[in-house]
Amino acid sequence: NNQHSYYTTAGGAWGTQTIGKGISYITLWMFYDTTAYPNALPNITMEVNGNIVPNVSNLALAQAFSVSPPKCIYDFMTSKTYGMGIPGFDMDTASFSAAVTYCDATITIAGASGTITTQARYTCNGFLNSGESPMANLEKMLTSCNGRIVYENGKYSLKLRKATAPETFQLDETNIVGDWSFKRAGIDETPNSIKVTYIDTALNFQPQTITWPYPDDANPYLVEDGGLLNEMSVELPFTTNEYMAVMLASQILLENREDVTCTLTAQREALKLTVGSVVEVSHSTTGWDEKEMSVEAISLRADGLVEIALKEFNDDTYDLPVFKTAIGAVASNLPKAYASGTAQAPTVGPF
């Protein structure tokens, strides 16, 4: 909150009561080195922390800066200033808190020759364009953690696509009634390669594109599809780390290759399931014996029966891939991109 008054006269553009609350600015004095930059002035860019956000694990605590995706998503959904303005009592904070534990967990990035590094599983780094719709901005943020927002039991929940143990409740011929509806994507609809674009902080915050499986590695999915390349492209605007981009790429590709979906009707007891649940399905019609399926949608019909949309599920989808060491920035003789020093107060007065 800036409290500088640039015009103190009665008729000035900024009066003594104008404090610039919520506005950030910086004043720079620059000495142009024509030897280092002979063609033009360099662009000035800065790495800054964003909003302070609620601690969804304990909302009584003070808000603080965080790159944890669930905290940032919760903040955007509840903010009346720049977000969706959803009341806090309509938010399933327990689901966001559980997602924080998963996203913030430290994982080991392992390459073919051993451990490369450790890091948080997911972070959320980026900026939103207020000119875009709130839903479009929300979808962008959700890409940072492979998440989705589900409205159930009168509240908005954050569900992450991840390895999930099946429910003890099963769907079988004792509770499935009526006809089935099946769909399976054709080979031209199922990708065997994925290309993701993200912003890489290690490469001067420039957009980078990476393909998975890595181009110089064997691609078993391409072989499985008879050598016919079908590449999928995905934007990850809130991912700023190559390893996270590769991890998300592998998950998205493998999720798309689990391409069997179906809709069925079950007895009311199936309401024990929720979106994101994994349920074992056994039925003579399909020949399935405890086949694991993910619940994609569930609704109660007027006649008391439950309609459920299911998608093929495989825990292996969420195994960490084998990584290659990320490419770093090339050394340069240019002046340092970041410099530290003592900030001086700007001159206050009319300009």
Side-chain angles (χ1 to χ4, degrees):
N1 297 338
N2 307 310
Q3 301 186 27
H4 296 293
S5 295
Y6 290 105
Y7 290 91
T8 57
T9 59
W14 287 68
T16 56
Q17 301 303 312
T18 303
I19 62 174
K21 185 177 181 180
I23 300 172
S24 298
Y25 74 93
I26 186 168
T27 303
L28 296 174
W29 286 266
M30 298 185 296
F31 297 89
Y32 181 32
D33 187 336
T34 55
T35 302
Y37 299 98
N39 298 320
L41 288 170
N43 291 324
I44 305 300
T45 57
M46 299 179 185
E47 183 178 357
V48 298
N49 288 345
N51 291 336
I52 57 173
V53 296
N55 185 333
V56 293
S57 300
N58 186 349
L59 293 173
L61 297 178
Q63 295 191 8
F65 171 72
S66 175
V67 295
S68 181
K71 293 180 181 180
C72 297
I73 292 167
Y74 183 95
D75 176 61
F76 177 73
M77 292 182 69
T78 56
S79 173
K80 296 180 180 179
T81 304
Y82 46 80
M84 305 177 80
I86 298 173
F89 54 77
D90 285 339
M91 303 291 288
D92 177 14
T93 53
S95 70
F96 284 82
S97 179
V100 167
T101 301
Y102 183 76
C103 291
D104 292 1
T106 299
I107 61 171
T108 299
I109 304 301
S113 58
T115 300
I116 299 174
T117 185
T118 58
Q119 63 178 44
R121 178 177 277 109
Y122 298 132
T123 59
C124 183
N125 291 285
F127 64 92
L128 297 175
N129 183 349
S130 59
E132 295 190 33
S133 70
M135 187 57 68
N137 280 328
L138 176 61
E139 289 295 336
K140 288 182 178 181
M141 297 181 76
L142 288 168
T143 64
S144 66
C145 57
N146 202 4
R148 54 183 162 175
I149 297 296
V150 177
Y151 187 73
E152 58 185 7
N153 300 322
K155 292 184 180 290
Y156 293 95
S157 300
L158 174 61
K159 302 291 182 76
L160 304 182
R161 294 179 173 87
K162 60 186 181 69
T164 305
E167 300 288 330
T168 54
F169 172 79
Q170 296 184 346
L171 288 170
D172 53 35
E173 291 180 73
T174 66
N175 49 44
I176 297 175
V177 296
D179 297 329
W180 296 58
S181 174
F182 291 94
K183 181 181 178 181
R184 184 166 192 178
I187 190 171
D188 57 336
E189 300 175 85
T190 306
N192 46 42
S193 176
I194 185 169
K195 182 180 292 184
V196 294
T197 302
Y198 68 102
I199 306 299
D200 199 323
T201 56
L203 296 175
N204 199 27
F205 294 87
Q206 295 302 305
Q208 301 294 322
T209 299
I210 194 161
T211 300
W212 192 86
Y214 293 104
D216 53 348
D217 283 353
N219 184 338
Y221 317 111
L222 182 62
V223 174
E224 190 176 304
D225 293 346
L228 179 64
L229 179 65
N230 185 7
E231 190 166 68
M232 180 182 191
S233 295
V234 173
E235 299 281 338
L236 299 175
F238 279 78
T239 298
T240 55
N241 172 288
E242 181 178 318
Y243 300 127
M244 286 183 199
V246 171
M247 181 167 48
L248 288 165
S250 69
Q251 292 179 13
I252 295 169
L253 176 67
L254 294 177
E255 284 172 352
N256 277 271
R257 291 190 67 80
E258 300 292 340
D259 61 346
V260 175
T261 59
C262 70
T263 302
L264 57 82
T265 304
Q267 300 286 359
R268 191 182 181 91
E269 60 181 319
L271 286 176
K272 297 175 181 178
L273 302 172
T274 61
V275 173
S277 296
V278 174
V279 60
E280 293 176 337
V281 184
S282 300
H283 205 282
S284 58
T285 298
T286 57
W288 292 347
D289 182 18
E290 297 185 346
K291 181 176 179 61
E292 292 188 357
M293 304 287 285
S294 172
V295 178
E296 298 298 297
I298 185 168
S299 61
L300 180 64
R301 300 193 334 187
D303 60 6
L305 297 176
V306 180
E307 191 164 298
I308 309 174
L310 300 170
K311 184 180 186 300
E312 195 173 13
F313 180 83
N314 188 339
D315 254 357
D316 294 344
T317 296
Y318 305 98
D319 290 345
L320 295 179
V322 176
F323 298 89
K324 293 186 182 297
T325 304
I327 298 174
V330 177
S332 170
N333 292 324
L334 293 176
K336 291 183 178 180
Y338 304 101
S340 60
T342 303
Q344 299 181 13
T347 302
V348 178
F351 297 99

